[in-house]
Amino acid sequence: NALLQQLAITDGLTGLYNHSHCMDRLQHEAANARRYDNPLTVAMLDLDYFKELNDTHGHPFGDTVLVDVAEIIRSGIREGDVPGRYGGEEFILILPNTSLEGGLVIAERIRSKIESHTWGKQGVKVTISGGLNSLQNGESTSQLVQVADDNLYRAKEAGRNRIMPEQKA
Ligand code: C2E
Ligand code: C2E
């Protein structure tokens, strides 16, 4: 039934799509993008210092941050954009009909919203790093995600709380 189908594709904590559904959707969107020659962009977004956050404030607090970050992501994107929880503290955004430049606008908007958000009476602050990539001719979906992840790694290396590749002015 419909409820069970919904549960099977949803991440229990955040309500975003789960990893396996995101991979299915990515295949589907990549097939469409190739067929109709439309752009497809993927953004990987990862909370900075999440382990330290859990260690300092406890796991229930960490979970609250994940839920709130998921809501910030979900509420600031278009209907056709696909937000998912890729793993522990890593989120994926599948952006059909969106160029790399468009993806950078979205990722930067999300980064900035999270940077300005505070949690609890102590005003705890959290940041995210992001890596993007757009589908190239002949590129597989695993390569598409791999390069986005490489860019995420570069964003972490460069000091976190930033999106790679950097936006051109
Ligand atoms: P902008 O906010 O500077 O966004 C520039 C471009 O980034 C957009 O061009 C689009 O290609 C991409 N983009 C931005 N946000 C999203 C998103 O959440 N999902 C996807 N898939 N792509 C996104 P576009 O479509 O030509 O829009 C031009 C401008 O129109 C936007 O500039 C913004 O100022 C305004 N706009 C369009 N739709 C909305 C909307 O739903 N809400 C708001 N507040 N503004 C919108
Ligand atoms: P939606 O397309 O599902 O977009 C949901 C939210 O994602 C928007 O809420 C906005 O916070 C963010 N967003 C999406 N695209 C953009 C963008 O290009 N730039 C920026 N800065 N933010 C973006 P918002 O603005 O309250 O809009 C609610 C709904 O109103 C949108 O849902 C869309 O259906 C419609 N809408 C608003 N502005 C435009 C527009 O310029 N063109 C079109 N075609 N629809 C718009």
Side-chain angles (χ1 to χ4, degrees):
N1 72 29
L3 181 61
L4 284 177
Q5 273 171 12
Q6 192 60 38
L7 280 173
I9 63 171
T10 303
D11 171 58
L13 180 67
T14 62
L16 299 186
Y17 291 117
N18 62 25
H19 182 97
S20 83
H21 179 71
C22 288
M23 293 304 94
D24 289 350
R25 273 298 282 274
L26 191 58
Q27 289 295 348
H28 176 81
E29 297 299 344
N32 273 333
R34 291 186 193 105
R35 172 176 289 251
Y36 300 109
D37 201 22
N38 289 330
L40 173 67
T41 294
V42 163
M44 310 300 300
L45 303 171
D46 191 87
L47 290 179
D48 296 325
Y49 301 112
F50 188 67
K51 189 185 176 302
E52 288 79 352
L53 188 85
N54 273 325
D55 290 346
T56 308
H57 301 281
H59 283 267
F61 182 82
D63 283 356
T64 299
V65 170
L66 287 173
V67 168
D68 293 345
V69 165
E71 180 56 23
I72 290 171
I73 293 173
R74 202 200 48 72
S75 63
I77 56 175
R78 292 184 189 172
E79 190 86 40
D81 302 338
V82 183
R85 184 168 176 211
Y86 196 70
E89 68 264 30
E90 187 170 13
F91 299 90
I92 185 170
L93 270 179
I94 302 167
L95 303 166
N97 302 317
T98 305
S99 66
L100 186 65
E101 289 70 26
L104 289 171
V105 170
I106 302 162
E108 180 54 32
R109 189 166 72 226
I110 292 170
R111 188 204 61 74
S112 154
K113 272 190 202 164
I114 291 169
E115 182 181 41
S116 358
H117 197 92
T118 56
W119 276 268
K121 292 196 192 84
Q122 302 174 65
V124 175
K125 301 195 66 91
V126 171
T127 59
I128 59 155
S129 300
L132 275 75
N133 187 32
S134 294
L135 187 68
Q136 309 295 315
N137 284 329
E139 197 177 37
S140 69
T141 52
S142 50
Q143 286 168 321
L144 173 63
V145 170
Q146 182 59 54
V147 173
D149 249 331
D150 293 345
N151 283 329
L152 170 60
Y153 181 77
R154 289 174 51 221
K156 296 273 184 185
E157 287 284 288
R160 299 178 171 80
N161 191 23
R162 70 194 66 208
I163 308 294
M164 290 279 184
E166 273 162 319
Q167 217 172 342
K168 294 187 190 76

